[in-house]
Amino acid sequence: MTTSPKTAIILGTGLGQLASEITDSHEFPYQDIPNFPVSTVEGHAGKLIFGKLGDKDIMAMEGRFHFYEGYGMKEVTFPIRVMYELGITTLFVSNASGGMNPEFRIGDLMIITDHINMFPEHPLRGHNFPTGPRFPDMHEAYDHKLVALADEIAKEKNIRVMHGVYMGVQGPTFETPAEYRMYHKMGADAVGMSTVPEVIVARHSGIKVFGVSVITDLGGFDVPVKVSHEEVQEAANAAQPRMTEIMREMIKRS
Ligand code: HPA
């Protein structure tokens, strides 16, 4: 097999469908890759997939590593270092998240326009890798052109998309009602336990990023509601065809 993907995708909780559309695929379970951490959370299969999406070479991470699993930030972001070494220039990420913007509904897709990093350890702490500067710029963590392309495709396909700021937190607890309210006041529209570390390392490596959050639950409103991992997976599954349609088309056109 020869493949030289320029595009990579990381699929979040309940959002693996796009990876199953990859043809001519070669799959590498994480446990077979030297130095790769192994994913433990339910709903994450844990493999690297190389193949074609349409006529584009692609690399997919099915299942990602979360800080709450006990990995250090170097492990959480190790796959991004591998992507850089393999020549990836654009990264598509998805995740499940809790919506705090009162305009959001469960099942909405939120195109990530920016993020707030609330993880207790920075993924670039320590020795600076020469893929980027010691003090990297983050003024356009999420590529504006890719956001515009997503909007265009969503409009064509009549898919409701919201824009918003994603807050990355360590978990594994879902938020208390007071925490949801605080995060919203701080400027976030959605909150989740992933994405931010990977995006920071991708940007430090010059990789362009497009991100989508699927709003799987809502927090911080008048009546506090219970959240469970099962509900998150269910809502992600229900929204996934719309997310997949947008990403598939974006990868085709970009
Ligand atoms: N909070 C944090 N992470 C999440 C949530 C949430 O409400 N929903 C899905 N992942």
Side-chain angles (χ1 to χ4, degrees):
M1 171 185 81
T2 43
T3 181
S4 44
K6 296 267 172 281
T7 306
I9 51 179
I10 302 179
L11 302 163
T13 309
L15 298 167
Q17 186 189 326
L18 197 57
S20 68
E21 296 180 11
I22 295 175
T23 57
D24 307 321
S25 68
H26 290 256
E27 301 190 349
F28 301 89
Y30 294 155
Q31 66 261 31
D32 297 346
I33 306 173
N35 300 314
F36 234 74
V38 175
S39 184
T40 61
V41 74
E42 205 184 311
H44 292 259
K47 57 192 177 196
L48 280 190
I49 306 169
F50 293 84
K52 285 198 179 296
L53 198 67
D55 54 11
K56 285 255 160 71
D57 283 348
I58 195 143
M59 168 182 182
M61 257 189 95
E62 195 176 313
R64 56 150 65 95
F65 305 108
H66 301 85
F67 191 70
Y68 63 75
E69 292 175 87
Y71 299 115
M73 277 299 180
K74 300 250 171 345
E75 292 169 292
V76 170
T77 58
F78 183 75
I80 312 297
R81 304 286 182 193
V82 173
M83 286 176 189
Y84 171 80
E85 293 298 331
L86 292 174
I88 296 299
T89 57
T90 308
L91 173 64
F92 288 79
V93 287
S94 66
N95 60 52
S97 69
M100 301 174 294
N101 182 322
E103 286 177 24
F104 289 2
R105 307 194 287 244
I106 288 179
D108 270 347
L109 303 179
M110 183 190 89
I111 294 173
I112 306 174
T113 54
D114 205 349
H115 73 218
I116 298 174
N117 179 16
M118 290 292 280
F119 283 92
E121 187 193 318
H122 199 282
L124 299 179
R125 179 169 178 266
H127 168 77
N128 184 50
F129 282 85
T131 58
R134 171 73 288 188
F135 303 106
D137 170 69
M138 281 286 146
H139 89 282
E140 193 179 340
Y142 299 83
D143 190 80
H144 292 176
K145 284 200 183 118
L146 291 173
V147 170
L149 178 61
D151 281 340
E152 196 181 302
I153 292 166
K155 204 166 162 200
E156 277 171 33
K157 296 186 180 287
N158 211 9
I159 295 172
R160 172 180 152 105
V161 287
M162 313 305 278
H163 281 195
V165 173
Y166 176 87
M167 178 171 283
V169 298
Q170 66 170 316
T173 42
F174 291 115
E175 286 63 35
T176 63
E179 286 166 343
Y180 281 122
R181 283 195 300 273
M182 174 181 75
Y183 291 155
H184 186 232
K185 279 196 182 136
M186 288 169 80
D189 298 291
V191 56
M193 306 172 197
S194 67
T195 304
V196 168
E198 294 117 308
V199 170
I200 289 172
V201 171
R203 295 303 303 130
H204 181 253
S205 309
I207 297 172
K208 278 189 290 189
V209 174
F210 174 77
V212 175
S213 276
V214 174
I215 306 300
T216 55
D217 52 276
L218 299 170
F221 302 112
D222 293 343
V223 188
V225 282
K226 206 163 168 257
V227 192
S228 72
H229 185 57
E230 291 68 32
E231 277 170 324
V232 164
Q233 283 189 302
E234 225 169 86
N237 261 311
Q240 117 161 300
R242 283 176 281 124
M243 188 209 80
T244 304
E245 201 170 345
I246 293 176
M247 282 211 182
R248 189 196 296 120
E249 195 62 27
M250 287 182 80
I251 290 164
K252 196 166 153 188
R253 294 191 202 176
S254 63

